[in-house]
Amino acid sequence: MSEDTGRAEGCRRPRALLAVCGGIAAYKACEVLRGLQKAGCEVRVTMTEDAERFVGPVTFEALSGAPVADDLYSHPTSAIPHIELSEWADLALVVPATANVMAKIAAGLADDCLTSTILACHDSCPVLVAPGMNTRMWQNPATQVNAEVLRGRGMTIVGPGSGRLACGDVGEGKLAPVDEIVAAALCALHGTADEGDLAGVRLVVTAGPTHEAIDPVRYIANRSTGKMGYALAAAASARGAEVTLVSGPTTLPTPSGTRRVDVTSAAEMRKAALAAFEGADAAICCAAVADYTPAAPADHKLKKSREHLDSIELVETADILAELCAKKGARVVAGFAAETDDLLAHAQDKLRRKGADLIVANDVSRPESTFGADTNRVALVSDAGVEQLETMPLADVSDAVLDAVAAALRERGRL
Ligand code: CTP
């Protein structure tokens, strides 16, 4: 029998160690704890001194039914809480992960109970990190590099999402939704994350619209919401792929387990997509990239009375899909064709003209497949022919597209 659970060792409950840092989202860690318990996990908590300024340890003690490890030297039941906890846990979750604690973990610092425990988790238990912080702190290159370092060491980064932050800013940095964190934790606990049929595949997905600046206030955009690209990224990640999501401006949360690179313009998207494609096996260009951009965006707001906006000189943007296709070699590249008429003819033309392996054609004039819909009705167009699919939820459409990409990868011996 296991001493602390009283259950037979063979069927003990999964053990999650919640590491709570000092951010406003610390209260959400209570909900994560509850979600894990509801899913049958046993939960213990370690927290930083700063976290205790937001939520007291008594709350976590009451919820978890166990003492909180917040001090290396005065734990009520353990002389070495950081080592014991790291050996006890099947998974550690840092929620919310602040920029400071991410930096400490990346640097291997262990100057309190929480960071000492995470350092001791090395080789004994996987670590999931759910960042929650101000947008500029998240986007700071130092934090981005630290996130990469953590990922490179096998840690799972969940989120962050976008939205209104506690400081009033709107942007990326918001703690991922509680459900998403709990789902990622359960996925890691059940060891299914790497068992998908796309395990080992490095996939780039472009998504959303682009915004082309006219002046600091105005831009040219389109109706894309990013839903289809985000669904693809989520589905590929759930099937084990390592996904880089190059996203134009959207309000959608980052799909669990994906690396998201935010861009605004077509030029920025091109740069990010080309960089991500360097180390990739496949790309799916789902973004609605602007075809034209103002030749010389003004650096000040154009005034109606003085500088008439009755003509804007436009120049063509680079075709990202065509560029990826030109350099793909044995890699697989798929694109989308959003059309309102002559769907298949346009899709076949794009397949040939851009040199893609697959074009996913959808008729955006139909309500079930238009911008912002939760369903899509697509045809898969390739050299092998046309496969018309039924109207399906975006997750199922994503799986069908990924099946086609996986088949092409298999043909080329890349899967
Ligand atoms: N695409 C791209 N870069 C661009 C324009 C389009 O990567 N500058 C990609 C889209 O992501 C999509 C495919 O090309 O996968 C088709 O995009 P679409 O806008 O339908 O086609 P265009 O080539 O722009 O042609 P048209 O607007 O005339 O239909």
Side-chain angles (χ1 to χ4, degrees), residues 206-208 266 269 284-292 316-324 334-339 346 349-350 353-354 358-360:
T206 69
M269 183 171 278
I284 304 178
C285 293
C286 189
V289 186
D291 290 329
Y292 293 93
E316 213 169 315
T317 57
D319 191 318
I320 304 166
L321 173 60
E323 245 182 280
L324 297 185
F336 273 67
E339 311 288 349
H346 284 310
D349 174 58
K350 277 172 195 173
R353 195 159 39 83
K354 305 202 185 206
L358 173 74
I359 290 287
V360 184

Side-chain angles (χ1 to χ4, degrees), residues 23-147:
I24 185 63
Y27 73 96
K28 295 262 184 77
C30 301
E31 294 174 34
V32 171
L33 189 158
R34 275 294 192 217
L36 290 167
Q37 285 176 329
K38 275 189 201 149
C41 300
E42 199 179 340
V43 186
R44 296 280 160 86
V45 177
T46 177
M47 58 200 298
T48 62
E49 218 179 299
D50 283 345
E52 294 184 352
R53 288 172 173 260
F54 292 91
V55 185
V58 175
T59 304
F60 286 108
E61 257 162 37
L63 291 173
S64 68
V68 164
D70 54 0
D71 188 322
L72 285 169
Y73 307 104
S74 61
H75 192 272
T77 61
S78 171
I80 43 169
H82 58 306
I83 304 301
E84 285 188 7
L85 277 174
S86 66
E87 287 170 355
W88 172 86
D90 298 315
L91 175 75
L93 298 87
V94 189
V95 183
T98 57
N100 181 47
V101 167
M102 286 178 69
K104 285 197 204 175
I105 298 173
L109 286 175
D111 61 354
D112 60 11
C113 190
L114 183 148
T115 48
S116 300
T117 306
I118 298 298
L119 193 67
C121 283
H122 175 63
D123 261 0
S124 74
C125 112
V127 178
L128 185 151
V129 176
M133 66 192 77
N134 167 272
T135 302
R136 292 191 306 283
M137 293 173 80
W138 168 250
Q139 287 175 346
N140 188 304
T143 307
Q144 290 296 308
V145 166
N146 290 333

Side-chain angles (χ1 to χ4, degrees), residues 302 304 307-313:
L302 299 173
K304 186 165 55 177
E307 299 146 312
H308 296 290
L309 269 179
D310 51 4
S311 71
I312 302 168
E313 194 195 334

Side-chain angles (χ1 to χ4, degrees), residues 253-318:
T254 307
S256 184
T258 64
R259 186 173 85 93
R260 172 167 159 182
V261 182
D262 280 322
V263 298
T264 302
S265 64
E268 285 172 15
M269 183 171 278
R270 172 182 176 269
K271 197 169 160 211
L274 287 174
F277 193 57
E278 286 286 309
D281 301 293
I284 304 178
C285 293
C286 189
V289 186
D291 290 329
Y292 293 93
T293 190
D299 59 4
H300 62 282
K301 185 184 170 197
L302 299 173
K303 299 308 290 176
K304 186 165 55 177
S305 51
R306 282 185 275 121
E307 299 146 312
H308 296 290
L309 269 179
D310 51 4
S311 71
I312 302 168
E313 194 195 334
L314 298 174
V315 289
E316 213 169 315
T317 57

Side-chain angles (χ1 to χ4, degrees), residues 195-214:
E195 286 170 11
D197 64 332
L198 298 179
V201 171
R202 291 155 301 174
L203 176 70
V204 181
V205 177
T206 69
T210 64
H211 288 182
E212 309 302 321
I214 297 168

Side-chain angles (χ1 to χ4, degrees), residues 128-131 138 151 155-162 172-177 179-185 187 203-208 225-248 250-262 286 394-395 398 402:
L128 185 151
V129 176
W138 168 250
R151 256 190 218 102
M155 297 186 186
T156 303
I157 310 277
V158 182
S162 291
E172 211 184 1
K174 197 180 169 70
L175 185 74
D179 289 353
E180 202 178 306
I181 297 171
V182 172
C187 195
L203 176 70
V204 181
V205 177
T206 69
T225 60
K227 279 187 179 178
M228 185 70 246
Y230 275 58
L232 273 165
S237 176
R239 287 168 66 163
E242 214 179 281
V243 180
T244 301
L245 175 61
V246 180
S247 174
T250 75
T251 54
L252 302 172
T254 307
S256 184
T258 64
R259 186 173 85 93
R260 172 167 159 182
V261 182
D262 280 322
C286 189
L394 294 183
S398 301
L402 291 169

